Amino acid sequence: MSIECPDRAQVVIIGGGVIGCSVAYHLAELGWTDVVLVERKSLTSGTTWHAAGLVGQLRATQNLTRMAQYTTDLYANLENLTGQATGFRQNGSLSLATDSERFEELKRGASMASCFGLEVEVITPEEALKLYPIMTTENLVGAVFLPRDGQTNPTDTTQALARGARNKGVKILEKTQATRLEKNSGRVSAVVTDQGRIECDFVVNCAGMWGRQVGEMAGVSVPLHAAEHFYVVTEPIPDLPRDLPVVREPSACNYYKEEAGKLMVGMFEPVAKPWGMEGIPEDFEFGTLPEDVDHIEEQLGYAIDRIPVLGETGIKIFFNGPESFTPDNRYFLGPSPEVSNFFVAAGFNSIGIQSAGGAGKVLAEWIVNGQAPMDLWDVDIRRMMPFQKNKHYLHDRTVEALGLLYAMHWPFRQPESARGVRTSPFHLQLKGKGACFGETAGWERANWFAPSGIDPVYEYSFKKQNWFPYSASEHCAVRERVGVFDMSSFGKFLLQGPDACKVLNRVGANQVDVAPGKVVYTQWLNDQGGIESDLTVTRISEDQYLVVTAAASQMRDLYWLRESIRVDERAYVTDVTAGYGVLSVMGPKSRELLAQMTPADLSNDAFEFGTSQEIEMGYGLVRASRISYVGELGWELYVPSDFALGIFDLLIEKGEAFDLAPAGLHALNSLRIEKAYRHWGHDIGPDDDPLQAGLGFAVDWNKSEGFRGREALARAADSLPSRRMVQFLLQEPDQMLYHEEPIWRDGERVGRTTSGMYGHTLGGCIGLGYVSHESGVDRAFVSEGNWEVEVAGERIAAKASLSPMYDPRSERVRA
């Protein structure tokens, strides 16, 4: 029976794939039933209908894993909840390693999985063969088995979610295409379809590979691109066991799934084929793309080598269908930074089925409650930069993006495609000095410097990589002499107006009503006291502030600040990121060096730590801020872009007498972790409050008008935190920490690391991580414990401390 298009709805969802139906289902579960889902053709058309239906649980972070676990539990019960069969089976999954590096990756993943409460087994090739007897174990070195992983029928599962939503009152309109979005006062006010106009309070873009163009209707950047995705399905195989686990062989770029007595072999080839550059055909519904056996010939060969019966079995289907991929291979979730009531759930990079339940649940809660229910930074659409919707950029990055799902997830791995997008004023000078660049938010950033005669190219490993000794030299130069970092990628905002101070004092936990020239380190908190931003605020004048944040969170923090300005407040924010190059000059000789470049008095009395001045330097004016992210005396120099090269050349010239070393972001990371400085997005985030993170010193409890999150934080302050950040030093100098390694105390797992790097001054790998204890975590708990950190299944003895192990009193910073 057809449903008439209503005039109004609280929420309009655009897109009837598994994601859109999941959002509708979960909104209804929360009591929001005035919801309309519009689908241009039929439910599941586009991508969902041809998905492989794999349901894995282990993801890259704890919260993404929690969401995948929820998806598995939901699918296991969905038929009982809705009466619609889903075809869900829980036969487990098996990941194969064909070399030692891949096996270490899998073992590190298994250790991480144990932190998240997943059942996981590291097994031998012989044990893997018992689970999957139709394969050969040739060249296998090991495997990991997750017994609760599963598989499902994508179409039936989507229909079950749709039925559950309909049963609670959600209207689902098929053959209804959204053609235009109307906006009023910067918000979407109506969705215009070819069947009628629907006024609404919220819009959710679940349009899959059409997500980019739906975003454009609202003036929202949704940078995704379709690519061809291949799999083959065999003829029936006699006596094929029905209880076979899903097998992933990432080194072969293949997965293998039993399906109704046949085998499906899917591919994530490293060089993909973008599709839809000229637009998706208007009549595209359950369409397929032309076969290209040559493109997947290599992967098919690997599959036959692994499963010999494939060589004796005919192929029934050579399938090629489009799926959408994002520039960083992580999907998009949350409110757009451009239009606050326009939410996005799209770009699922071939993991839409296994992500749909959790993604739909948390996005529904985000819409209903006005805040994300957990830290979702990894998939928050506000991590994307506006330029990333560029068609040529997306095409070129998609060539690489599809294959990243099964590529080695190396520490510090850098994208290879669509590079050189954003460069600092110092880029060519740094390149001439041997810089090896990485990429963040499109910025080319010097990660390390190769000495003369060495190619500035990564050689990846889970051990100490080829750049290790060169970065160590940079690290030591900053500790012992002076180094310079290019930090031009900082996000930089100018907040101006009579109410600028009022806005920032309400948003931030620390006091910003300070004298002009004072730099304030602060966090912006949510209503639960969680850390939404970690940044510095410099008061330039009575009604003008400079806000400086990390490159990766530029758009997110800009959105947070703009949304925090009330309608009646006289304040406006301008993004001035591109207007300034930033040179961070750090080390015990930094004062002596900079004194050769400026007539300004840089002494302690004249230029205190935590202050900022506009000073003469070379032939220009520079804002110099005496702060540090490395634990040494130093200044950040904010140089207008048109003066940048002259200042840089002068610095290099004067720096020769002080053995100035160019230093990269890897050295910055090792220096800051030695000093136990936190990093937003790794060590701190919305799930962490300043008291847990050891940042209570940056909270001003006495501000007359309080600050957002104060009430929740005050309640937490009534007792000793049961969860706190601790610094660790491994006692085995050859082991490397990165993140998500389990932390053990007296034989009990009590936490996990959040970041790690080799500490060249302390002589071992340093990790930061949270530990939990029901009675509270204090200095006695830390000092009296026998601590270990688990690396790829092996526990390594570690020293633990609540205080920074390097310069705990910050005497060097204030020298």
Side-chain angles (χ1 to χ4, degrees):
M1 183 179 71
S2 62
I3 301 174
E4 201 171 297
C5 185
D7 296 329
R8 175 171 172 77
Q10 193 171 13
V11 183
V12 175
I13 300 167
I14 300 174
V18 68
I19 304 298
C21 290
S22 179
V23 173
Y25 174 90
H26 286 95
L27 282 170
E29 285 287 297
L30 293 172
W32 280 32
T33 56
D34 184 16
V35 175
V36 175
L37 184 151
V38 297
E39 163 53 47
R40 61 184 289 277
K41 296 294 184 182
S42 306
L43 293 186
T44 77
S45 64
T47 294
T48 295
W49 72 276
H50 64 70
L54 311 185
V55 185
Q57 299 177 86
L58 180 59
R59 313 288 347 137
T61 66
Q62 181 181 37
N63 285 344
L64 295 185
T65 299
R66 287 170 58 192
M67 291 162 61
Q69 289 174 288
Y70 169 81
T71 299
T72 301
D73 293 340
L74 173 66
Y75 290 174
N77 295 296
L78 198 54
E79 183 173 350
N80 293 332
L81 293 170
T82 66
Q84 165 72 50
T86 64
F88 179 73
R89 290 186 287 151
Q90 218 159 2
N91 293 342
S93 73
L94 190 63
S95 294
L96 307 179
T98 56
D99 57 63
S100 59
E101 291 276 28
R102 181 70 73 170
F103 196 29
E104 176 157 357
E105 179 189 31
L106 294 181
K107 288 189 291 184
R108 283 178 176 266
S111 291
M112 181 173 69
S114 69
C115 290
F116 305 157
L118 286 181
E119 294 180 45
V120 59
E121 303 170 22
V122 178
I123 60 176
T124 65
E126 292 73 26
E127 291 169 322
L129 183 61
K130 292 178 181 178
L131 292 167
Y132 206 82
I134 64 170
M135 73 173 177
T136 174
T137 59
E138 184 180 354
N139 77 353
L140 286 189
V141 298
V144 165
F145 180 57
L146 282 89
R148 298 196 69 247
D149 280 359
Q151 59 193 74
T152 196
N153 182 296
T155 297
D156 290 346
T157 300
T158 304
Q159 294 291 352
L161 291 166
R163 178 181 289 187
R166 286 192 189 99
N167 289 345
K168 289 184 178 291
V170 172
K171 295 180 176 64
I172 296 179
L173 309 180
E174 298 182 84
K175 309 298 181 185
T176 304
Q177 183 170 354
T179 59
R180 184 164 55 88
L181 301 181
E182 294 180 1
K183 291 169 68 177
N184 185 19
S185 300
R187 293 168 64 89
V188 177
S189 56
V191 177
V192 179
T193 77
D194 56 4
Q195 302 299 315
R197 176 179 177 275
I198 311 170
E199 292 186 0
C200 59
D201 299 320
F202 298 94
V203 174
V204 189
N205 179 358
C206 300
M209 58 187 173
W210 289 270
R212 181 177 178 274
Q213 68 187 63
V214 170
E216 287 178 343
M217 294 181 191
V220 170
S221 174
V222 184
L224 53 78
H225 199 295
E228 301 182 29
H229 181 51
F230 300 86
Y231 60 73
V232 301
V233 180
T234 70
E235 297 286 354
I237 299 175
D239 303 319
L240 185 67
R242 294 298 307 276
D243 60 350
L244 289 174
V246 171
V247 171
R248 295 176 177 88
E249 187 176 5
S251 297
C253 307
N254 288 336
Y255 62 85
Y256 316 114
K257 185 188 82 162
E258 186 277 332
E259 188 173 85
K262 303 180 282 291
L263 275 180
M264 172 189 285
V265 180
M267 297 86 179
F268 287 98
E269 68 279 11
V271 180
K273 296 179 66 178
W275 178 78
M277 285 72 75
E278 304 305 320
I280 301 170
E282 184 58 36
D283 61 352
F284 195 86
E285 187 173 3
F286 295 103
T288 61
L289 305 180
E291 295 178 6
D292 189 348
V293 179
D294 290 344
H295 185 72
I296 58 172
E297 184 177 15
E298 184 176 6
Q299 282 71 41
L300 279 176
Y302 292 146
I304 293 170
D305 290 342
R306 180 62 58 209
I307 305 175
V309 70
L310 289 172
E312 307 163 8
T313 306
I315 303 296
K316 182 176 183 180
I317 299 172
F318 282 93
F319 186 86
N320 180 10
E323 298 191 19
S324 59
F325 293 84
T326 65
D328 60 3
N329 211 235
R330 289 178 277 143
Y331 56 85
F332 299 142
L333 212 60
S336 70
E338 300 95 340
V339 181
S340 60
N341 70 332
F342 186 92
F343 284 72
V344 180
F348 277 80
N349 302 282
S350 274
I351 60 167
I353 300 299
Q354 60 190 289
S355 304
K361 178 178 187 292
V362 299
L363 190 67
E365 292 171 356
W366 205 334
I367 295 169
V368 170
N369 300 324
Q371 182 171 300
M374 60 178 73
D375 180 1
L376 294 168
W377 170 237
D378 288 282
V379 293
D380 191 328
I381 189 171
R382 294 170 295 181
R383 73 187 186 274
M384 291 287 110
M385 299 302 300
F387 83 86
Q388 290 178 298
K389 70 179 180 180
N390 179 285
K391 290 181 180 179
H392 296 294
Y393 169 85
L394 287 171
H395 170 275
D396 293 350
R397 179 56 63 86
T398 300
V399 171
E400 177 184 11
L402 179 144
L404 293 180
L405 196 65
Y406 280 10
M408 283 290 291
H409 297 92
W410 295 115
F412 312 107
R413 186 193 184 280
Q414 302 298 323
E416 298 174 3
S417 58
R419 292 291 299 270
V421 181
R422 303 172 80 190
T423 56
S424 86
F426 316 112
H427 179 79
L428 292 179
Q429 280 74 7
L430 298 176
K431 184 177 181 180
K433 293 185 175 298
C436 182
F437 294 97
E439 187 251 24
T440 296
W443 283 103
E444 293 293 319
R445 308 199 302 176
N447 280 348
W448 54 279
F449 288 83
S452 178
I454 301 295
D455 289 334
V457 177
Y458 278 95
E459 295 175 11
Y460 295 118
S461 169
F462 281 99
K463 308 301 183 185
K464 296 172 182 175
Q465 296 184 9
N466 64 311
W467 49 264
F468 183 87
Y470 316 131
S471 186
S473 178
E474 299 163 25
H475 177 114
C476 294
V478 174
R479 287 278 184 253
E480 298 165 8
R481 305 186 310 276
V482 59
V484 58
F485 303 88
D486 176 12
M487 302 305 295
S488 303
S489 59
F490 277 153
K492 302 174 275 290
F493 319 133
L494 200 60
L495 185 69
Q496 298 170 283
D499 292 325
C501 179
K502 179 181 177 182
V503 170
L504 286 174
N505 243 357
R506 182 179 67 250
V507 173
N510 212 346
Q511 176 64 260
V512 301
D513 191 2
V514 294
K518 181 69 176 175
V519 182
V520 179
Y521 171 58
T522 188
Q523 286 79 44
W524 294 349
L525 309 181
N526 56 39
D527 293 333
Q528 285 69 49
I531 301 170
E532 294 287 346
S533 306
D534 179 74
L535 39 73
T536 62
V537 175
T538 301
R539 190 167 202 171
I540 295 174
S541 64
E542 190 67 21
D543 61 356
Q544 188 173 200
Y545 288 83
L546 177 66
V547 179
V548 179
T549 189
S553 52
Q554 175 185 340
M555 294 307 298
R556 187 182 192 278
D557 290 349
L558 182 62
Y559 169 88
W560 191 270
L561 182 55
R562 282 178 173 160
E563 288 295 302
S564 299
I565 301 173
R566 295 170 179 168
V567 174
D568 61 345
E569 288 179 324
R570 299 164 298 166
Y572 63 96
V573 60
T574 306
D575 188 337
V576 296
T577 298
Y580 294 89
V582 181
L583 296 171
S584 179
V585 183
M586 297 286 150
K589 293 186 178 181
S590 57
R591 179 183 283 121
E592 297 173 64
L593 167 55
L594 294 178
Q596 304 299 309
M597 301 173 61
T598 178
D601 186 350
L602 303 180
S603 66
N604 252 331
D605 291 339
F607 209 136
E608 296 179 353
F609 177 76
T611 63
S612 180
Q613 300 179 26
E614 187 175 75
I615 63 174
E616 293 182 17
M617 186 167 284
Y619 294 137
L621 297 175
V622 169
R623 173 156 296 280
S625 297
R626 191 180 162 194
I627 52 179
S628 176
Y629 195 48
V630 299
E632 300 294 338
L633 172 71
W635 280 261
E636 290 177 354
L637 307 178
Y638 292 78
V639 188
S641 294
D642 48 346
F643 288 88
L645 290 183
I647 299 297
F648 182 84
D649 289 344
L650 180 63
L651 178 68
I652 297 302
E653 176 191 332
K654 297 297 184 183
E656 288 183 6
F658 300 90
D659 202 10
L660 172 70
L665 275 296
H666 291 338
L668 184 84
N669 201 34
S670 62
L671 290 159
R672 72 94 184 168
I673 292 180
E674 276 195 333
K675 191 64 176 70
Y677 286 148
R678 281 55 165 160
H679 184 283
W680 194 90
H682 288 93
D683 309 309
I684 51 178
D687 292 344
D688 316 305
D689 68 45
L691 305 179
Q692 297 169 332
L695 298 174
F697 66 87
V699 176
D700 187 334
W701 297 98
N702 301 317
K703 288 196 288 185
S704 58
E705 296 184 10
F707 54 88
R708 184 174 182 179
R710 186 188 187 285
E711 292 75 15
L713 199 60
R715 290 192 296 270
D718 288 338
S719 58
L720 182 68
S722 59
R723 176 177 176 269
R724 291 186 73 178
M725 174 153 282
V726 177
Q727 186 184 39
F728 298 91
L729 170 61
L730 291 190
Q731 301 301 287
E732 168 51 62
D734 289 330
Q735 289 287 356
M736 302 297 291
L737 297 177
Y738 298 112
H739 60 86
E740 307 294 358
E741 291 96 356
I743 299 169
W744 297 78
R745 180 185 184 272
D746 296 339
E748 178 184 359
R749 188 174 60 237
V750 294
R752 57 190 175 88
T753 63
T754 52
S755 60
M757 200 76 173
Y758 199 89
H760 302 284
T761 310
L762 296 176
C765 211
I766 311 294
L768 298 177
Y770 287 99
V771 302
S772 299
H773 181 57
E774 188 174 343
S775 301
V777 178
D778 57 14
R779 293 189 181 278
F781 178 82
V782 174
S783 63
E784 295 169 7
N786 178 31
W787 294 93
E788 298 169 305
V789 180
E790 182 180 328
V791 179
E794 179 185 357
R795 296 189 206 172
I796 311 298
K799 176 184 175 183
S801 176
L802 275 177
S803 300
M805 296 183 192
Y806 180 79
D807 190 23
R809 297 183 180 180
S810 295
E811 293 170 341
R812 296 177 67 88
V813 172
R814 300 176 184 276

